[in-house]
Amino acid sequence: ICMLVVPFNIAYSQCPTTFMVQGAVMKPLFGVIEAPNLDIIDSISVLFFGYLVSTFFYPYLARRNIKLATGYKFALGSALGASAILWSLVVENMIHSEYAKSGNQINVMWQAPSYLLIGAGEIFSISTAYEVAFTASPPNKKAFACAFNLFCIGGIPNMLSLGLYRMCDQWFHNDKGSGNIHLIRDYSEAHVANYFVVLLGIVVLGVLVNL
């Protein structure tokens, strides 16, 4: 059952990879806050939404004798992950539109909603996967179940993301065939949006599989 979180974690794995590529061509906030600094938003989001969900959302459901099935939790987490990727597509369009119109960069804080949505999705996907791995496994298999869950959260998604990136490598090149797209001029010639569309399809599939 832990395999059901793989699509969400493919989206989650974009935080230190494709989000960084996109953020590298965006204007730092106050001239100092750049894309790598935004990872803290994911951590804050996990704490904030974790508190809301455990303090208000789950008790609200319990008072009405509603038990949210594991698959629905995974689907909700994947839907939030898909929303994060969808927002990245919106940001991608903003980057290209602003550069074509004025030659300027947009502010890196436009990426913040993606990190917020990923953090919220972790509450329903990753936290639930940990819970299921421990509670659903027999006593003598709990250590192995937790280890396999970690592999499904980190190992498998990272390997799939690496393979996917290599297959889509041509979308990360400028018109001259160079993979160095850290300047907005070169980035505008790449087709990173295509990669986000593929990611969106994968995570939406994760939603459907879990319903």
Side-chain angles (χ1 to χ4, degrees):
I1 193 170
C2 294
M3 290 289 291
L4 295 174
V5 299
V6 169
F8 170 81
N9 283 290
I10 289 176
Y12 175 67
S13 69
Q14 305 310 308
C15 289
T17 54
T18 316
F19 287 179
M20 294 295 108
V21 174
Q22 185 186 66
V25 298
M26 300 173 74
K27 183 168 58 179
L29 180 66
F30 305 128
V32 294
I33 299 177
E34 300 179 328
N37 304 122
L38 297 189
D39 196 48
I40 188 66
I41 296 176
D42 172 57
S43 301
I44 294 172
S45 177
V46 170
L47 291 173
F48 177 72
F49 286 106
Y51 173 78
L52 289 183
V53 169
S54 62
T55 305
F56 300 105
F57 183 60
Y58 285 154
Y60 172 83
L61 294 180
R63 287 194 298 270
R64 284 155 180 76
N65 295 316
I66 300 173
K67 183 174 176 58
L68 201 60
T70 298
Y72 289 161
K73 291 180 183 179
F74 286 161
L76 183 54
S78 294
L80 288 165
S83 299
I85 300 299
L86 184 61
W87 181 254
S88 295
L89 271 168
V90 172
V91 172
E92 191 69 16
N93 181 66
M94 292 170 64
I95 290 172
H96 286 269
S97 296
E98 184 63 28
Y99 181 72
K101 182 174 64 176
S102 66
N104 294 328
Q105 299 166 286
I106 66 171
N107 197 285
V108 73
M109 289 305 294
W110 282 109
Q111 281 193 318
S114 288
Y115 287 92
L116 286 170
L117 290 164
I118 285 288
E122 288 178 62
I123 302 304
F124 295 102
S125 291
I126 296 179
S127 298
T128 302
Y130 278 119
E131 178 187 358
V132 171
F134 188 80
T135 58
S137 57
N140 63 331
K141 298 290 185 182
K142 289 189 184 298
F144 174 75
C146 291
F148 184 72
N149 178 57
L150 285 171
F151 185 60
C152 292
I153 289 174
I156 295 175
N158 286 338
M159 288 188 293
L160 291 175
S161 294
L162 178 61
L164 182 64
Y165 180 85
R166 291 188 180 279
M167 287 190 295
C168 302
D169 180 62
Q170 70 273 13
W171 292 335
F172 292 84
H173 288 73
N174 62 16
D175 288 346
K176 296 178 181 178
S178 172
N180 185 5
I181 56 173
H182 299 302
L183 297 177
I184 184 64
R185 179 184 65 253
D186 297 312
Y187 190 89
S188 67
E189 298 173 353
H191 302 280
V192 180
N194 293 346
Y195 185 72
F196 281 123
V197 170
V198 172
L199 290 173
L200 181 62
I202 291 172
V203 188
V204 168
L205 178 63
V207 175
L208 298 176
V209 167
N210 280 291
L211 289 176

